[in-house]
Amino acid sequence: MNDSQAGNEGRSIAEESILIVGSGAMAHLFAARLSRTYAVKLLGTWQAALDQIETSGIRVRDMDGAESRGEATVFREVGELSRVRYALVLVKSWQTEQAARSLSHFLTEDGLALTLQNGLGNLEVLQEILGEDRAALGVTTIGATLLEPGLVRHGGEGPIALGPHPRAEPLARMLEGAGFEIQWHDDLDGLIWSKLAVNAAINPLTALLELRNGQLLEQESTRDVMISAAQEVAILAKSLGVRLATKDAAAFALQVAERTSDNVSSMLQDIQRGAPTEIDAICGAIVRIAGQQGMETPINWGLWKLVKAKAELVAGSK
């Protein structure tokens, strides 16, 4: 056990606070659930949500309609924060660099920032700015839909997969204490690419057609596009030597869409708000990596360009 581990063990987990970086749907959900057991701080940029959380807390509506409440201490500026040891990074992929630079000011030297974001490249950005010791990767398919500032609907349960990291265990225990299921994996690459296949199959189509996840399953045409998008990711992953965590990426994507049938994807929520999407870190990343391999991914290329076009049109009309 090194000195930083000894310091962590010497302090009760129940005494720790946790910082949520982000103010969207997943940030709402994680902050609310963690606040039942731990002191939660939240650093975000969406002022309407921050105002609502500050005055009235966070409401979480479960899939059966039941509601629970949580709370978080809201911070709008980095300079307002004191040092923290544990942070969850739940911002959009295009905000990761700024989140990492903010964290560099107040994450303790023995601290850890865990990303549970969509897309590729988030961990690498955190590692470049914070160092490998202070950045870790997690993968989850938990669903959440933001209904209004301060109100989130839980759109589907799922485990949080974590890889080996010398500082991850205390944070994993905090998540377990808040009711999240933790699974440990020696290699997360297969899970990352499996989730990427799901994101590519579901998120762009929901954003383009303005449908909930489950509605994609109602038409053969949308199912066909979902299957093709996921299969392209599976073929690309195989060419990179990545063994997916599921035998059939397309079937897995369809299963996740069914399990999160009432969920409004984060990409559709972004489109509806006229905000930037994560399409560059999902379909755009797939196209870029495929090009480096001398491969083509025409379905993902089309979804990438169409979502970018729609996002630009919607943003221009607001």
Side-chain angles (χ1 to χ4, degrees), residues 74-310:
V74 168
F75 295 89
R76 293 172 174 80
E77 301 291 340
V78 172
E80 299 173 352
L81 273 161
S82 57
R83 304 281 277 177
V84 296
R85 179 173 282 117
Y86 300 114
L88 292 182
V89 181
L90 296 172
V91 298
K92 301 298 183 181
S93 57
W94 56 271
Q95 298 172 308
T96 303
E97 181 177 351
Q98 181 56 51
R101 296 196 184 283
S102 296
L103 281 166
S104 68
H105 293 292
F106 50 79
L107 188 69
T108 60
E109 288 303 314
D110 63 345
L112 184 67
L114 173 68
T115 168
L116 297 174
Q117 299 162 273
N118 289 332
L120 298 176
N122 295 300
L123 175 64
E124 289 76 8
V125 172
L126 292 173
Q127 288 177 330
E128 181 178 353
I129 295 172
L130 301 175
E132 292 187 6
D133 289 343
R134 293 199 294 171
L137 176 67
V139 182
T140 187
T141 56
I142 293 172
T145 300
L146 199 58
L147 301 178
E148 61 185 54
L151 174 61
V152 64
R153 180 174 61 219
H154 186 196
E157 198 58 82
I160 297 172
L162 300 177
H165 193 288
R167 299 180 182 177
E169 189 171 337
L171 182 52
R173 292 205 304 271
M174 294 176 76
L175 290 166
E176 284 182 321
F180 294 101
E181 178 189 353
I182 299 296
Q183 295 180 354
W184 293 96
H185 293 261
D186 291 334
D187 184 0
L188 289 180
D189 283 348
L191 287 170
I192 293 167
W193 280 82
S194 295
K195 182 180 179 181
L196 185 65
V198 170
N199 288 155
I202 295 175
N203 290 15
L205 277 175
T206 59
L208 290 168
L209 301 175
E210 301 189 18
L211 298 175
R212 296 180 185 274
N213 292 3
Q215 291 177 292
L216 296 178
L217 304 175
E218 296 174 4
Q219 302 293 330
E220 182 179 359
S221 56
T222 50
R223 291 197 304 272
D224 286 347
V225 176
M226 292 174 69
I227 290 168
S228 295
Q231 287 175 339
E232 285 184 351
V233 177
I235 293 169
L236 177 58
K238 185 176 181 179
S239 76
L240 296 169
V242 175
R243 183 176 181 180
L244 296 184
T246 177
K247 292 183 179 179
D248 188 330
F252 181 51
L254 297 175
Q255 291 167 8
V256 172
E258 182 176 9
R259 178 165 55 81
T260 61
S261 59
D262 289 334
N263 193 51
V264 177
S265 77
S266 58
M267 194 169 290
L268 175 52
Q269 293 178 66
D270 290 337
I271 289 288
Q272 290 172 334
R273 293 190 295 116
T277 75
E278 296 181 296
I279 195 67
D280 288 335
I282 299 174
C283 295
I286 293 164
V287 172
R288 184 180 66 253
I289 295 170
Q292 294 168 353
Q293 295 294 109
M295 299 172 60
E296 293 185 353
T297 48
I299 300 300
N300 279 277
W301 185 91
L303 293 171
W304 175 37
K305 294 299 182 180
L306 287 170
V307 171
K308 286 182 75 68
K310 180 163 186 174

